[in-house]
Amino acid sequence: MKLIRSIAFRIWVIFTVLGLAISIPLALYYNNWQLSLLKEHSKEEFDVNARITANAVKTALEMDDFVLLQRLLKDIQKNDNYAYIAVVENLPDCSRSVVTCTPELFKNRVIRSNEDKYFYSHSPISTEVLNGEIIIASSKSEDLLVLKQLNRPLI
């Protein structure tokens, strides 16, 4: 009882309350800020990978090597954990057609994008054979789970 009435105890209680009142909001703000930076960086790398994939697909199309094209798309999709990679052709009547999609089960879903479930990156491609784009999709839930694991507090 004597301890609670002492001036030293009262000073330390004030400092503790002020310290917690300042550090908790700052920790939450910093954590959210860091998560947004990780998302931004992840999106930039995603777009770079789409451009690299477009260049590889363009090279395979220019060589008329469709076996190489399929192998490239499968390897990229498997190693980078994308939901799917698709080559879409822009037709003269302003419609679009899926040339190839890896894995095949997403072929019917490529044209109708689902922004709630996937992050998308589009990279244009233009060759003598094909005028269109490469679409790479990545699962939002899986990406956010990885980002939250990277951003979890140390304690």
Side-chain angles (χ1 to χ4, degrees), residues 22-90:
I22 291 171
S23 64
I24 290 174
L26 281 178
L28 292 174
Y29 169 75
Y30 178 75
N31 200 18
N32 290 335
W33 177 65
Q34 190 174 14
L35 183 63
S36 68
L37 287 177
L38 283 170
K39 283 182 186 177
E40 184 180 317
H41 179 72
S42 173
K43 177 66 175 149
E44 288 173 6
E45 287 205 4
F46 190 53
D47 291 338
V48 167
N49 286 341
R51 288 193 297 274
I52 291 169
T53 302
N55 285 333
V57 168
K58 184 176 180 181
T59 302
L61 287 173
E62 287 173 349
M63 294 173 28
D64 288 331
D65 192 348
F66 294 102
V67 175
L68 174 66
L69 175 65
Q70 280 297 102
R71 193 171 68 231
L72 277 171
L73 293 179
K74 283 181 183 175
D75 287 346
I76 292 168
Q77 189 267 338
K78 179 177 61 176
N79 292 334
D80 290 330
N81 300 320
Y82 298 126
Y84 65 84
I85 299 175
V87 178
V88 178
E89 181 179 16
N90 297 330

Side-chain angles (χ1 to χ4, degrees), residues 3-12:
L3 178 67
I4 295 175
R5 290 187 187 155
S6 72
I7 193 93
F9 179 77
R10 290 180 184 175
I11 290 172
W12 279 109

Side-chain angles (χ1 to χ4, degrees), residues 95-121:
S95 64
R96 298 168 58 186
S97 170
V98 178
V99 175
T100 184
C101 180
T102 305
E104 285 288 326
L105 64 107
F106 287 98
K107 195 167 187 171
N108 295 330
R109 300 182 208 169
V110 171
I111 302 296
R112 298 178 314 272
S113 61
N114 186 351
E115 299 288 333
D116 294 336
K117 291 178 93 176
Y118 299 105
F119 290 118
Y120 291 97
S121 185

